[in-house]
């Protein structure tokens, strides 16, 4: 079967793109490697422009209650409430909540989201792209006029298309976790500490606090799988004098200040969007926000 577009990746970027295409009558399918949606929060905020993108499609209200994000420039708070229109982004919105909203939307539009399907190869045909897929029923192929990789910073589509990903390696490391059972002072835009360290704490839903720690002088973490909550809690106590060791960690990860951009955002009939096309520190909701705008623009 030949489709118009195959989207790889059922995160916010891939789902937003699929919905936008379907609204224009495009025959689109989404392939996702994971067999089921995750409960990881990852992105927890989005910018005003991304909120506008959602609102233009009637999607913002589907997220339920959200909290206006604090505005600042270089850490200096700015009160945008003096302006006539809403100039706020939104914070405390776990990424799985955004993904669930978008998947419901594309389902209503009739877009198939095929989970447990991993793209393993691609080749250009005379009038499109053929992808090889490993799925629950074994290997298969699907063809489309165009292919879009929305499959993250380690994008399989980008690698299969042999698109270079130049940039700078991370020099600073950050630990981040979602924790329940703690009552620490909120530092929603981050608090700079002597020596170049930083801590952040903000509310998510259901009593969950997102905490972030950057301890200056420590090497960037290299292996997410080896992280332990005590690593973050120890660093938090060294920097703030507070103990959050008693908290229950729901999710923990790490990131760096690495910055990369694909040498090409398009090669032939293969496109890239979101983290597959560019990665940067996710602070200030850049990752999810820029990716959703990629999808709308594309």
């Amino acid at each position: 079967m030949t489709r118009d577009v195959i989207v790889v990746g059922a995160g916010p970027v891939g789902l937003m793109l699929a919905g936008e295409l379907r609204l224009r009558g495009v025959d689109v399918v989404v392939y996702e490697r994971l067999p089921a949606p995750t409960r990881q929060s990852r992105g927890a905020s989005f910018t005003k422009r991304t909120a506008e993108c959602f609102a233009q499609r009637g999607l913002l209200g589907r997220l339920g209650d959200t909290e206006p994000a604090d505005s600042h420039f270089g850490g200096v708070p700015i009160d945008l409430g003096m302006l006539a229109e809403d100039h706020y982004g939104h914070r405390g919105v776990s990424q799985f909540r955004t993904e669930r909203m978008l998947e419901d939307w594309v389902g209503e539009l009739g877009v198939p989201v095929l989970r447990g399907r991993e793209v393993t190869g691609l080749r250009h045909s005379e009038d499109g792209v053929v992808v090889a897929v490993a799925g629950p029923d074994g290997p298969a192929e699907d063809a489309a006029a165009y292919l879009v990789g929305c499959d993250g910073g380690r994008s399989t589509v980008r690698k299969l298309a042999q698109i270079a990903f130049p940039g700078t390696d991370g020099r600073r490391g950050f630990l981040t976790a979602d924790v329940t059972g703690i009552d620490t002072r909120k530092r929603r835009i981050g608090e700079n500490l002597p020596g170049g360290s930083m801590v952040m704490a903000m509310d998510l839903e259901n009593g969950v606090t997102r905490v972030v720690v950057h301890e200056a002088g420590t090497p960037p973490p290299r292996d997410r799988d080896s992280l332990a909550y005590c690593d973050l809690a120890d660093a938090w106590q060294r920097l703030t004098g507070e103990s959050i060791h008693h908290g229950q960690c729901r999710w923990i990860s790490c990131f760096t200040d690495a910055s990369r951009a694909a040498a090409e955002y398009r090669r032939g009939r293969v496109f890239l969007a979101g983290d597959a096309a560019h990665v940067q520190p996710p602070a200030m909701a850049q990752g999810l926000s820029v990716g959703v705008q990629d999808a709308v623009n594309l």
Side-chain angles (χ1 to χ4, degrees):
M1 177 179 180
T2 300
R3 306 178 186 272
D4 294 327
V5 179
I6 294 172
V7 173
V8 180
V13 181
L15 293 171
M16 190 72 190
L17 176 61
E20 290 288 297
L21 291 171
R22 191 70 192 97
L23 287 175
R24 290 157 177 78
V26 174
D27 179 17
V28 56
V29 64
V30 180
Y31 282 107
E32 168 56 50
R33 176 180 58 84
L34 297 177
T38 73
R39 292 285 294 178
Q40 294 177 351
S41 57
R42 295 191 178 273
S45 304
F46 49 84
T47 63
K48 167 185 165 55
R49 179 61 191 132
T50 303
E52 289 174 340
C53 291
F54 289 152
Q56 286 167 356
R57 297 292 176 243
L59 301 175
L60 190 57
R62 295 190 180 203
L63 286 170
D65 294 335
T66 61
E67 184 180 4
D70 295 321
S71 298
H72 70 94
F73 182 82
V76 178
I78 299 176
D79 178 14
L80 295 180
M82 65 183 71
L83 301 177
E85 64 172 297
D86 173 17
H87 276 74
Y88 288 101
H90 295 253
R91 71 170 173 226
V93 185
S94 296
Q95 183 168 321
F96 65 78
R97 187 170 150 197
T98 303
E99 290 178 358
R100 183 174 62 233
M101 177 273 289
L102 289 172
E103 188 159 1
D104 288 345
W105 175 55
V106 301
E108 293 167 11
L109 295 174
V111 176
V113 178
L114 306 180
R115 294 188 172 274
R117 272 82 168 179
E118 182 173 6
V119 172
T120 58
L122 68 84
R123 69 179 188 275
H124 280 86
S125 62
E126 289 186 4
D127 57 355
V129 182
V130 178
V131 296
V133 181
D137 300 322
E141 287 191 339
D142 198 359
Y146 297 96
L147 172 69
V148 188
C150 303
D151 51 341
R154 300 177 183 179
S155 170
T156 297
V157 171
R158 186 185 66 237
K159 294 171 183 175
L160 291 172
Q162 298 183 331
I163 297 175
F165 202 42
T168 57
D169 292 331
R171 295 173 297 173
R172 299 183 179 186
F174 300 77
L175 301 178
T176 181
D178 292 348
V179 187
T180 60
I182 62 173
D183 184 22
T184 185
R185 178 171 59 85
K186 300 303 179 280
R187 303 153 169 95
R188 294 184 178 88
I189 63 174
E191 181 175 274
N192 293 323
L193 300 174
S197 297
M198 183 276 291
V199 293
M200 188 190 83
M202 73 173 185
D203 294 323
L204 298 181
E205 60 267 4
N206 302 320
V208 178
T209 301
R210 163 69 56 85
V211 292
V212 180
V213 174
H214 164 61
E215 188 171 13
T218 59
R222 297 296 181 187
D223 182 10
R224 286 187 175 92
D225 295 335
S226 66
L227 291 176
Y229 176 60
C230 62
D231 297 329
L232 183 150
D234 288 348
W236 183 275
Q237 187 164 20
R238 286 193 296 269
L239 295 175
T240 68
E242 304 169 358
S243 174
I244 58 173
H245 289 83
H246 58 282
Q248 292 80 52
C249 179
R250 293 180 44 167
W251 170 76
I252 187 167
S253 188
C254 60
F255 61 91
T256 73
D257 61 346
S259 179
R260 295 185 178 277
E264 306 165 69
Y265 283 17
R266 173 186 183 180
R267 175 168 289 187
R269 290 176 175 265
V270 177
F271 289 80
L272 302 175
D275 287 352
H278 43 72
V279 294
Q280 62 282 317
M284 298 310 299
Q286 292 185 94
L288 186 153
S289 297
V290 176
V292 167
Q293 292 173 59
D294 279 354
V296 174
N297 291 335
L298 182 56

